[in-house]
Amino acid sequence: MNIFFPRTCPLCETLLPGKTLICQNCVKDVFVIAEPKCQKCGKALRSRDKLFCWECSKKERFFDRAVALFEHQGKIRESIYRFKYKNQRAYAAYYGDMAIRQYGELIKSWKIDAIVPVPIHKKREVKRGYNQARVFAKEIAKRSGLVMMDDIIIRKINTNPQKNLSDSGRYFNLQGAFGINTEKIKKVKNILLVDDIFTTGSTVDMCSRILKKAGAKKVYVLCISAGIDKE
């Protein structure tokens, strides 16, 4: 497979030898989120004097805790764009590997029953060819031994892209957008909700809210990247 479909670096797109997931030149360009970071959503903080980012200190969150792998900037930002819109699904192997390296033990401590990717509408999935959150979730499931269930949350409305909206606009844009498979949710209590980018958290918050309303006990969130605290 590597002969006909050679693996490329998810950051610079150069060819990779063997089973390498990222080239050595790009390792230094990865902004892994480290302390200080928000104790609720996992965003990088600008000050060690704070426990929570500006948004988490101002609004109610419905997920129990969220973490992300990288700061959403530089080569990672470009990498996720290609992963999401340019059919670079192979990048998920690198993201999944980093997820287990950074948060494998934490995920074990959460006693997760199922990994649940944030769904996209069927029209958008047909046009794009895949749901990037599901591809990422599948890599985490493969490396952790956890079950992925991609039919618990149902995307009912093909909403406008969140990236073009304000914080309040994102919230209202998602009203009624998701539904729950009531039979599937009965089988799980602790959920790892997976998405690609955490910006304001509106999408994962809405999903967490309906999951808990349907009977989930704990909802944790894992994203590939997250923005940086406003303050």
Side-chain angles (χ1 to χ4, degrees), residues 5 9 20 32 36 51 56-57 63 69-70 72 82 96 98 103 110 133 149 158 184 191 198 215 221-222:
F5 303 100
C9 175
T20 308
V32 174
L51 291 176
C56 288
S57 65
F63 55 81
L69 306 178
F70 313 111
H72 193 63
R82 293 193 298 272
M98 288 296 290
Y103 297 117
W110 287 340
M149 299 179 70
N158 191 16
K184 295 288 184 178
I191 289 172
F198 187 108
V221 177
L222 173 59

Side-chain angles (χ1 to χ4, degrees), residues 7 21 89-98 135 139 142-143:
R7 192 188 302 274
L21 297 177
R89 283 175 267 187
Y91 291 3
Y94 170 63
Y95 303 148
D97 181 70
M98 288 296 290
V135 176
E139 290 292 335
K142 182 169 70 175
R143 288 165 167 75

Side-chain angles (χ1 to χ4, degrees), residues 62-64 208-219:
F62 293 94
F63 55 81
D64 291 273
S208 300
R209 184 176 189 173
I210 64 171
L211 284 168
K212 287 193 170 182
K213 188 176 181 179
K217 183 179 179 182
K218 297 281 187 180
V219 179

Side-chain angles (χ1 to χ4, degrees), residues 115-129:
I115 301 172
V116 177
V118 171
I120 59 176
H121 195 269
K122 285 296 180 184
K123 287 184 178 179
R124 194 169 296 175
E125 187 167 354
V126 168
K127 183 178 179 180
R128 190 177 298 169

Side-chain angles (χ1 to χ4, degrees), residues 7 10 21 23 27 51 63 65 77-78 96 102-103 112 124 131 168 186 199 207 212 216 221:
R7 192 188 302 274
L21 297 177
C23 76
V27 171
L51 291 176
F63 55 81
R65 187 181 173 189
R77 182 172 185 158
E78 296 166 9
Q102 285 183 241
Y103 297 117
I112 299 298
R124 194 169 296 175
N131 172 9
S168 59
K186 292 177 182 178
T199 306
C207 290
K212 287 193 170 182
V221 177

